[in-house]
């Protein structure tokens, strides 16, 4: 499986889910297009919302999350269609967690 990092803490609400702290390194055993991935953390296996997981190491670089752009230059700030909208400092955006599918639906995909 691939190594990923939890972007924020997640508290399980079903027996087949994992609880992880923010920054936890998890191993993804199975990916699914249903929004939940089968993962291993702390000797346990269970489901985690995929939106909370970020690639770690080389995977992070290849996905772009580890690359730094020159944000301080005026050229990078004016009219840059790739730049996300400004978010006030101290504001935390919570990703939308999809509906929880049964574990069997993840394992059959």
């Amino acid at each position: 499986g691939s190594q990923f990092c939890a972007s924020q803490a997640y508290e399980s609400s079903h027996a087949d889910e994992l609880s992880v702290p923010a920054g936890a390194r998890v191993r993804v055993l199975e990916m699914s297009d249903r929004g939940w991935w089968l993962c291993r953390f702390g000797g346990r296996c269970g489901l985690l919302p995929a939106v909370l997981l970020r690639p770690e190491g080389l995977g992070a670089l290849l996905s772009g999350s580890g690359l730094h752009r020159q944000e301080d230059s005026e050229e990078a700030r004016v009219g840059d269609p790739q730049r996300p909208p400004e978010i006030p400092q101290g504001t935390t955006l919570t990703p939308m967690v999809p509906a929880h599918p049964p574990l069997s639906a993840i394992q059959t995909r």
Side-chain angles (χ1 to χ4, degrees):
S2 301
Q3 195 81 5
F4 281 74
C5 184
S7 61
Q8 66 185 62
Y10 181 75
E11 189 66 36
S12 65
S13 58
H14 295 89
D16 59 351
E17 295 177 4
L18 287 176
S19 292
V20 295
R25 296 173 68 193
V26 301
R27 181 148 321 264
V28 174
L29 304 174
E30 291 185 44
M31 294 180 174
S32 168
D33 60 357
R34 293 180 176 258
W36 291 74
W37 293 353
L38 183 61
C39 302
R40 179 182 301 278
F41 174 74
R44 295 191 58 230
C45 289
L47 298 174
L48 280 174
V51 297
L52 302 181
L53 301 175
R54 301 285 175 254
E56 191 172 72
L58 182 58
L61 285 174
L62 295 175
S63 73
S65 62
L67 299 177
H68 299 284
R69 293 177 34 190
Q70 190 175 4
E71 296 289 337
D72 293 331
S73 75
E74 189 65 28
E75 294 172 22
R77 282 186 270 153
V78 176
D80 184 355
Q82 298 296 321
R83 186 180 175 128
E86 291 292 324
I87 299 171
Q89 206 168 27
T91 303
T92 303
L93 296 178
T94 304
M96 294 298 297
V97 175
H100 183 296
L103 180 59
S104 59
I106 300 292
Q107 294 175 327
T108 59
R109 290 218 146 226

